[in-house]
Every structure is written in structure tokens, then in C-alpha cells.
Amino acid sequence: MVHYSISSTELDNFPGSGLNTLMSKKHREIVQKQFTKTAEAFTEFAVRDTPEVLKEKVDFAKPQSADVALDIACGPGAFALAIAANVHASWGVDLTEEMLRRARGLQAERQILNAGFVRGEAEQLPFRDGSIDLVSCQCSFHHLPKPALVLAEMVRVAKPEGRMLIIDPLAPESDAKFELYNRIEVLRDPSHALTVRLTEFLRMFDEAGVDILRQSLRRRQRSFNNWMLRAGHARGTKRYLEARKLMEGSVAGDKAGFSPQLQGDDIQIVHNEGMFLLTRRALMA
Ligand SMILES: C[S@@+](CC[C@H](N)C(=O)[O-])C[C@H]1O[C@@H](n2cnc3c(N)ncnc32)[C@H](O)[C@@H]1O
């Protein structure tokens, strides 16, 4: 029997008084269907972040031992569980029950006592105003049709001196590449809303009244085959072949901004990932 040491003082509406919703029913269903189908791949055989990359992300957030952390759209809990050793308490929230089930399973396996996972929407977080020291969202912003609304929610639940961490791929600045980039992403995963550009993130931060404490741009190399597998498409399936055709067609001139390179029966692709540690803008006296 595992005895958890997390308390629920930060939680609002707990235990689950029904899912509040600011999402469209259609998009919510697409997300849940996609991530219920891919939860096993995500957790077991097509994992994205190596332990080294996860450590880099945790270190980037500069976690403090007294921090209460919250990772939104946490999936199977990779980030929330990785950061738990560095903070007082680590929460994860996600829409998809199957992802949460996997997160809790990994938590029990690793005997991590100061983490907790709850169901909720990023657009209307089941957490109290000003209750969290570090609110993160990694590799999920591109699934959110209303990213500015989610950023506002992150700011709402953060303490006045709290930090927000966003890690997400950045779309190409060129219009033609931007369009093809997002077309390939949606073909691969229908729950993909939009990957935005660096310039759009900077505009969103400005409008949300947050300043950047730290930022870093990383080139994350990935195997196309593994990336497709993580979205539920094995080699030779219809979606795989359609996405592969577009990706191969983009090689000459890097038309979609994935920097693709054919390698045996695979393609090496790159996601340009932005990491931003944010805080509320200090108001001038
Ligand atoms: C690509 S996965 C990323 C999971 C995790 N952040 C990671 O990096 O491994 C996207 C996750 O976002 C969740 N999600 C998508 N839209 C959401 C929303 N509006 N509110 C809460 N979770 C959402 C999905 O259920 C899924 O688990």
C-alpha cells in the first residue's frame, strides 16, 4: 500500500464535480479519442523525451523545494513525475482518463508520494486562484484551440510571484512552410489544433502581461517512424503513407520546415522547440 503525502488544498471542485467546459464538444471528443488510443504508445513504446531531455526541461524550470507544481495536459505524467523529486508537491491535470490512469500507474511503480493526477480542462483548471508556484505545459499547447485562454488560466492559478513554463514546438515563420507544417501535423493527429510561430508566442505573452525570465530554442531530432507510431500509425497504414508522402515531398527545399533527411526506411525530422519560463509582468510604481 502506497501512502501519498499530497494534500488537496490547491484543488477547486474536488473530488470531480463534473468537468467544467470551455472547449467545443467536438474538439474534446477528438482529443479524448486520440489520446485514449495512443496512451500505451505514449507511455511504453514510442516515448518522446529521453531521461536526459526530461532532466534538461526540469532544470530549465529551476524548481524550488517548497514549490507546488502543476503540469497541465500532463499526458502519462512524464514531466510531473520527473519534477516531483525537486518540489514539495507535483500535480498533473489532463482531459483523458486513460492518460491519467497511466500516470498514476507510473507513479505507483516509482513510489512517488508527492504527486497527484486529476481530470480537468486546460481552459478551466480545477485549481484555486494564486495557489501554484510553477505551472507548466509541455508539448501540449499545439492541441489547444484557444491557447491565449489557457495561458490566462495558467496565470490565474499561479501565485503572484509564481512562474509559468511553456515548452512547445515552434512553427516556421514562412507562410508556405507554416501551412504545410500544420497540414502534416493534423494529418498525423486530428487533435492537433495549431503549432504557432515564435512571433505569435511573443505576442501572446505580451498580451497576457507576462515577461520572459528564461528562454531557449532547441532542435529536437526525431524519427519520423517513431513520431507516427506515437500517434497510432504503424508503417504501411493509410495515414502513415499519406503523411510520409507529404514529408518526402517536402525534402527538397525543406518545404515544411521539418529539416527532413531520408535515413534507410526512416526519415529524420526536427521539431524546433521553444522553452519559455514566464512570470507576471511587474507593474511600474
Ligand atoms: C501530446 S500529449 C502531451 C502529454 C505530455 N504533456 C507530454 O509531454 O508527454 C497531449 C495531452 O494533452 C491532453 N489535452 C489536450 N487538450 C487538452 C485540454 N484542453 N485540457 C486538458 N488536457 C488536454 C491530451 O489528453 C494529451 O494527454
Side-chain angles (χ1 to χ4, degrees):
M1 177 74 183
V2 183
H3 294 284
Y4 296 101
S5 61
I6 196 156
S7 84
S8 57
T9 47
E10 298 84 23
L11 281 170
D12 226 356
N13 297 338
F14 188 77
S17 58
L19 202 59
N20 291 325
T21 190
L22 285 181
M23 294 177 78
S24 80
K25 184 168 178 279
K26 186 166 172 235
H27 188 72
R28 196 171 68 239
E29 284 171 2
I30 293 173
V31 167
Q32 286 175 323
K33 186 171 169 208
Q34 176 66 16
F35 288 104
T36 299
K37 182 176 85 173
T38 58
E40 189 190 359
F42 237 88
T43 318
E44 278 163 36
F45 56 84
V47 177
R48 182 199 326 104
D49 292 338
T50 60
E52 293 72 30
V53 169
L54 266 180
K55 180 176 182 322
E56 181 197 322
K57 291 177 175 180
V58 167
D59 290 348
F60 181 83
K62 294 199 172 168
Q64 307 293 310
S65 56
D67 279 353
V68 174
L70 165 64
D71 190 43
I72 67 175
C74 66
F79 187 78
L81 294 173
I83 207 167
N86 303 71
V87 296
H88 172 67
S90 179
W91 291 102
V93 63
D94 200 283
L95 194 57
T96 309
E97 196 51 65
E98 182 56 21
M99 284 293 197
L100 295 169
R101 197 179 69 76
R102 301 256 168 193
R104 292 183 192 114
L106 291 173
Q107 175 186 7
E109 213 175 283
R110 297 180 201 166
Q111 304 255 315
I112 296 173
L113 305 183
N114 63 335
F117 293 93
V118 291
R119 184 146 181 262
E121 278 180 12
E123 291 77 1
Q124 204 166 19
L125 293 166
F127 285 82
R128 297 189 204 289
D129 293 3
S131 59
I132 308 289
D133 297 281
L134 176 64
V135 193
S136 58
C137 183
Q138 86 124 352
C139 299
S140 293
F141 243 64
H142 55 276
H143 290 284
L144 308 169
K146 297 177 185 163
L149 175 65
V150 175
L151 178 56
E153 266 300 89
M154 293 172 75
V155 174
R156 177 186 69 78
V157 300
K159 290 182 182 172
E161 305 294 321
R163 289 103 65 218
M164 284 70 67
L165 170 70
I166 294 178
I167 301 177
D168 217 54
L170 303 173
E173 295 290 325
S174 124
D175 287 346
K177 290 188 182 187
F178 178 87
E179 194 278 324
L180 184 54
Y181 178 104
N182 275 295
R183 187 139 56 95
I184 294 174
E185 290 274 7
V186 174
L187 185 60
R188 168 187 176 263
D189 176 352
S191 74
H192 180 95
L194 189 75
T195 298
V196 301
R197 300 161 160 134
L198 172 61
T199 44
E200 173 63 12
F201 267 116
L202 298 181
R203 196 190 57 76
M204 220 182 329
F205 298 158
D206 193 41
E207 287 183 359
V210 296
D211 283 337
I212 299 174
L213 290 171
R214 304 184 80 188
Q215 65 181 333
S216 176
L217 303 183
R218 318 293 295 187
R219 281 174 70 78
R220 304 282 187 209
Q221 191 138 20
R222 317 205 185 288
S223 142
F224 174 82
N225 287 345
N226 210 43
W227 182 59
M228 291 302 289
L229 205 55
R230 194 162 53 249
H233 311 298
R235 268 178 257 192
T237 55
K238 186 165 174 279
R239 278 294 170 107
Y240 175 94
L241 294 173
E242 284 171 9
R244 175 135 191 161
K245 192 169 167 204
L246 286 184
M247 190 62 87
E248 283 185 0
S250 80
V251 171
D254 187 17
K255 293 186 194 65
F258 284 99
S259 309
Q261 291 195 336
L262 299 176
Q263 195 177 74
D265 76 341
D266 203 351
I267 310 175
Q268 289 305 313
I269 60 167
V270 170
H271 274 114
N272 289 306
E273 197 172 76
M275 308 208 293
F276 308 96
L277 189 65
L278 311 162
T279 188
R280 276 195 186 83
R281 185 172 302 144
L283 295 175
M284 303 284 271

